[in-house]
Amino acid sequence: MAQLLQHLINGLAAGTIYALVALGYTMVYGVLKLINFAHGDVMMVGVYMGYASAFALGREARGSLLGIAAVFAVAMLGCALLGFIIERFAYRPLREKPRLTALITAIGISFALSYGFQLDIGFLPGASPRAFPEIIEPTEWLIIGDRDVVVWNWQIISFLIAVGLMVGLQYLVFGTRFGQAMRAVSWDHRVAALMGIPTDRVIALTFMLSSGLAAGAGLLYAIKDTSVSPLMGLYVGLKAFVAAVIGGIGHVPGAVVGALVLGLVEEFVVGYAASSWRDAVAFGFLILVLLVKPGGLFGRVAAEKV
Amino acid sequence: MQTPALPIPESRPLVPPSLRGVLPVLLAVPALALFHWALSGSEFASYLLSVMGVNIILAVSLNIVNGMTGQFSIGHAGFMAVGAYIAGYASLQLKEVALSFLPVAASDQVLFTVALLLGGLAAAACGFLVGLPSLRLRGDYLAIVTLGFGEIIRVVVQNTDAFGRALGLSGIPQYASPSMVFFWVFLVVLAARRLAASSHGRSLWSIREDEVAAEAMGVDTTGYKVRAFVFSSFFAGIAGGLFAHFVPIINPGSFTFVRSMEIVVMVVLGGLGSTTGAIIAAIFLTLLPEGMRSLFGALGTEGSLAQRVDQIRMPIYGLLLVVLMLSRPQGLFGTREIWDVLPKWLSRKRGGQA
């Protein structure tokens, strides 16, 4: 029983982080109908930005509340800028082209970033994983019984940050003029442009928002995992992407639910079966969901126009 | 918005008369024999040519799904893994067996062919499984399922004792000679070209151009998509089997998502739908790292740069995809073949009627 509870907690903690990354996929897909394959790698770049700024701060400043805020701010703003650049120079020129071209471009950017960061030329970090500096010192926040169930402070903190970001995003999409514009662009960007919505600006801002979120999520992941490596983006990104698709890509609450479900499934596989099967189970679950509901759990399959 | 429309369709000429019938076979068999004779001796050239041949088979076979049918598959390495492991395992089991009525070398080649075909058929069966969801999924979603499938195969192999888990299989007899590899290259190219010009092929092209319209015209879209997957994965399995029989060791690390993407790069660079393009891109991308290595070596830069070629390769592939999509999204050849391009190019060069 206690073991089950512990797995539930770990699964939810992992799921919330996946959810934040998945939200980025879902937002971009909602607005552009583009699977932004490079999203996970933008997240990885964000984690390295956080890594560099945490070191720049020094050991004492790092643990303070202000220090944490600074690390997050640098990573998120830096990634928002990166997202802007990628959108402007790689995706915008292809907006009126077939969707496949943009997908291939996204895969290309993903490879350029993840393998580019593996080179050890100049400032690039090289292939070997590095220990992420402890910006939040891990302590046990809640212990039940004889260490049957342990809840760590970083689990609570990342849960709170994640929930806060999610609520904020929900408000942004459904409660602000910018969100209204986003939804209009996602409905039909040509008509939206005719109605006077600056579609280019809305799409660019959506990209910046999703990349910034990715950086935040990446830092939470790095705190949990305590290491950074250039390939982390490929795998975390893939998982989050699976989560977004399970929930129905383009559907904001669906991404969160999908990510929580995926986090729990993975945790139970690791806990009760074998950890080496984790990735296969994640993808098997995805295929199963898609076969039963081709649009994901909450998504709708768009009727085809003839 | 649903079907992934592809670069502008061009006219689809049939195979020119000169390439129909028995002529390709009459040309290829002596060419292969000559090739075999010329290569006996140089180990490095043999290895490089074998790698190149395997890449050509992979690119041409992926082109059937991605290029001709327009179903973007990004898990081709998974099928290759199935072929490699099944064929490798079969060869290991048959190692001690010899067909007594044949000389040893011939017996080995017969058993090798059996093992290869087993691998190809196993991969084709997997292709059938992957093709089936295309009944309900299309576009991006199908791409994701192929990606997931490739990863699942890798994990399954990694957890199977008979396949040596993470260590992989070693000691597979080295049966695959470059001429054997190029025999299969010849088969896949012939099969792909004949398919493209057949009525089956026209159904595939119609699915690529407009799936809804194809369905309305009475094309059994699901059936053809599944068949394209089966056909393509069979050859990927063969490529895997050949690969297993000239590298000393196969392990799950050889068949990752990255490997799948390498094949996608070849197909996209050559032009989605062009067999010639797939072949040329496969040759170019196989020789590129070697060329870079010898170039850096000749320039006398620090030896580290030459050693880093394998590291630099992947980011270059990534940038290549981006630049290609921005500047020439149809790839080098588009959907054209060499005999569509060559006459025009020659006549333009002569300043003739263009």
Side-chain angles (χ1 to χ4, degrees):
Chain A
M1 188 58 213
Q3 207 192 351
L4 179 74
L5 193 63
Q6 180 71 68
H7 286 315
L8 273 175
I9 291 168
N10 291 349
L12 283 176
T16 40
I17 297 174
Y18 284 154
L20 283 176
V21 188
L23 283 174
Y25 278 110
T26 278
M27 276 161 56
V28 169
Y29 190 87
V31 171
L32 267 185
K33 297 282 174 289
L34 163 72
I35 294 179
N36 184 12
F37 241 93
H39 191 65
D41 303 290
V42 171
M43 180 200 89
M44 177 274 294
V45 176
V47 174
Y48 272 103
M49 287 175 181
Y51 173 88
S53 55
F55 265 103
L57 275 177
R59 189 173 289 277
E60 296 81 42
R62 206 179 287 157
S64 70
L65 204 58
L66 206 65
I68 298 171
V71 170
F72 269 80
V74 167
M76 290 173 84
L77 289 176
C79 261
L81 184 67
L82 179 69
F84 175 78
I85 294 171
I86 292 176
E87 196 277 333
R88 179 68 189 78
F89 293 104
Y91 297 149
R92 189 177 296 182
L94 295 174
R95 203 170 292 158
E96 300 302 324
K97 294 267 178 66
R99 275 168 56 195
L100 190 58
T101 53
L103 180 67
I104 296 172
T105 310
I107 292 174
I109 291 178
S110 162
F111 268 57
L113 283 180
S114 55
Y115 285 90
F117 262 67
Q118 289 198 353
L119 303 174
D120 43 6
I121 299 169
F123 66 95
L124 295 168
S128 48
R130 296 184 180 193
F132 194 75
E134 285 179 355
I135 52 177
I136 300 171
E137 195 176 326
T139 45
E140 288 153 351
W141 185 77
L142 176 73
I143 301 171
I144 299 173
D146 185 22
R147 294 183 60 83
D148 291 329
V149 179
V150 179
V151 182
W152 292 86
N153 62 340
W154 57 261
Q155 287 180 321
I156 299 296
I157 292 171
S158 61
F159 187 79
L160 289 179
I161 296 179
V163 170
L165 285 170
M166 274 176 224
V167 172
L169 186 65
Q170 185 73 9
Y171 170 73
L172 184 82
V173 173
F174 291 99
T176 62
R177 277 173 63 86
F178 173 66
Q180 201 175 14
M182 259 171 82
R183 283 179 288 142
V185 172
S186 112
W187 191 258
D188 188 329
H189 77 265
R190 285 197 198 85
V191 176
L194 290 175
M195 295 294 132
I197 293 170
T199 44
D200 276 350
R201 205 183 307 161
V202 170
I203 290 172
L205 276 171
T206 307
F207 255 90
M208 293 170 72
L209 200 62
S210 89
S211 305
L213 264 182
L219 287 179
L220 294 178
Y221 188 86
I223 290 169
K224 167 185 167 242
D225 215 42
T226 66
S227 80
V228 283
S229 73
L231 283 187
M232 68 186 288
L234 273 183
Y235 285 93
V236 181
L238 224 49
K239 289 300 175 50
F241 173 58
V242 166
V245 177
I246 288 175
I249 195 162
H251 192 273
V252 171
V256 177
V257 173
L260 292 182
V261 169
L262 186 71
L264 286 172
V265 166
E266 282 198 356
E267 179 64 27
F268 283 125
V269 170
V270 173
Y272 293 109
S275 57
S276 52
W277 285 94
R278 193 175 63 176
D279 295 354
V281 169
F283 280 110
F285 188 62
L286 166 81
I287 294 176
L288 213 65
V289 170
L290 284 183
L291 285 183
V292 180
K293 291 202 60 138
L297 291 177
F298 296 92
R300 269 169 301 155
V301 180
E304 248 176 276
K305 290 173 212 150
V306 182
Chain B
M1 283 300 257
Q2 269 297 310
T3 40
L6 284 151
I8 317 109
E10 285 148 17
S11 61
R12 296 262 80 260
L14 298 172
V15 185
S18 58
L19 288 179
R20 283 185 228 163
V22 290
L23 186 68
V25 185
L26 288 180
L27 283 178
V29 172
L32 277 176
L34 196 70
F35 186 65
H36 188 80
W37 171 77
L39 268 176
S40 50
S42 167
E43 216 164 274
F44 179 68
S46 296
Y47 179 80
L48 195 61
L49 276 165
S50 301
V51 174
M52 189 191 287
V54 163
N55 282 341
I56 294 175
I57 299 175
L58 289 168
V60 170
S61 64
L62 183 65
N63 192 34
I64 294 168
V65 171
N66 282 13
M68 289 187 201
T69 324
Q71 308 298 310
F72 200 58
S73 164
I74 45 181
H76 215 50
F79 301 119
M80 188 190 171
V82 172
Y85 270 96
I86 299 285
Y89 185 75
S91 277
L92 280 175
Q93 297 302 310
L94 295 171
K95 215 173 183 176
E96 306 303 323
V97 182
L99 302 172
S100 52
F101 55 88
L102 284 173
V104 180
S107 155
D108 280 351
Q109 285 299 318
V110 170
L111 291 174
F112 171 43
T113 309
V114 170
L116 263 187
L117 288 175
L118 277 178
L121 290 176
C126 292
F128 180 70
L129 284 180
V130 178
L132 277 186
S134 65
L135 177 66
R136 305 199 58 177
L137 302 173
R138 45 193 62 189
D140 304 338
Y141 285 86
L142 192 61
I144 299 149
V145 166
T146 58
L147 164 67
F149 189 78
E151 289 294 295
I152 288 175
I153 288 179
R154 195 173 55 81
V155 175
V156 168
V157 163
Q158 208 159 348
N159 285 288
T160 309
D161 284 323
F163 291 157
R165 290 180 168 263
L167 288 178
L169 291 179
S170 55
I172 302 169
Q174 314 275 293
Y175 291 147
S177 58
S179 41
M180 187 69 174
V181 174
F182 272 84
F183 170 68
W184 281 99
V185 168
F186 167 68
L187 280 189
V188 72
V189 172
L190 194 68
R193 279 316 304 163
R194 298 210 66 118
L195 176 71
S198 71
S199 68
H200 291 269
R202 279 196 292 278
S203 299
L204 299 184
W205 293 109
S206 75
I207 293 171
R208 164 193 154 131
E209 298 306 344
D210 191 331
E211 204 171 325
V212 181
E215 190 137 26
M217 293 303 290
V219 175
D220 169 19
T221 49
T222 310
Y224 277 106
K225 282 193 272 180
V226 172
R227 268 171 260 178
F229 265 107
V230 170
F231 197 78
S232 158
S233 49
F234 172 77
F235 281 107
I238 295 286
L242 291 167
F243 177 74
H245 288 82
F246 69 76
V247 295
I249 187 165
I250 52 170
N251 59 43
S254 320
F255 309 105
T256 54
F257 175 53
V258 176
R259 188 79 180 91
S260 296
M261 291 318 302
E262 277 184 73
I263 312 168
V264 169
V265 174
M266 288 169 195
V267 172
V268 172
L269 175 67
L272 285 159
S274 168
T275 304
T276 315
I279 296 172
I280 291 180
I283 294 175
F284 174 69
L285 290 178
T286 314
L287 292 182
L288 185 66
E290 302 306 324
M292 276 161 63
R293 208 165 285 149
S294 48
L295 180 71
F296 289 141
L299 285 178
T301 43
E302 335 100 85
S304 60
L305 202 58
Q307 287 156 13
R308 279 209 199 116
V309 165
D310 281 319
Q311 277 187 344
I312 303 171
R313 198 166 53 108
M314 291 318 296
I316 288 183
Y317 279 11
L319 290 176
L320 187 68
L321 278 181
V322 178
V323 171
L324 206 62
M325 284 300 112
L326 290 173
S327 58
R328 196 175 161 81
Q330 72 273 37
L332 293 178
F333 281 82
T335 58
R336 288 169 301 178
E337 301 292 349
I338 189 87
W339 50 81
D340 305 329
V341 182
L342 212 53
K344 258 184 244 162
W345 188 68
L346 284 177
S347 67
R348 199 180 306 160
K349 232 185 169 185
R350 272 194 232 110
Q353 68 289 58

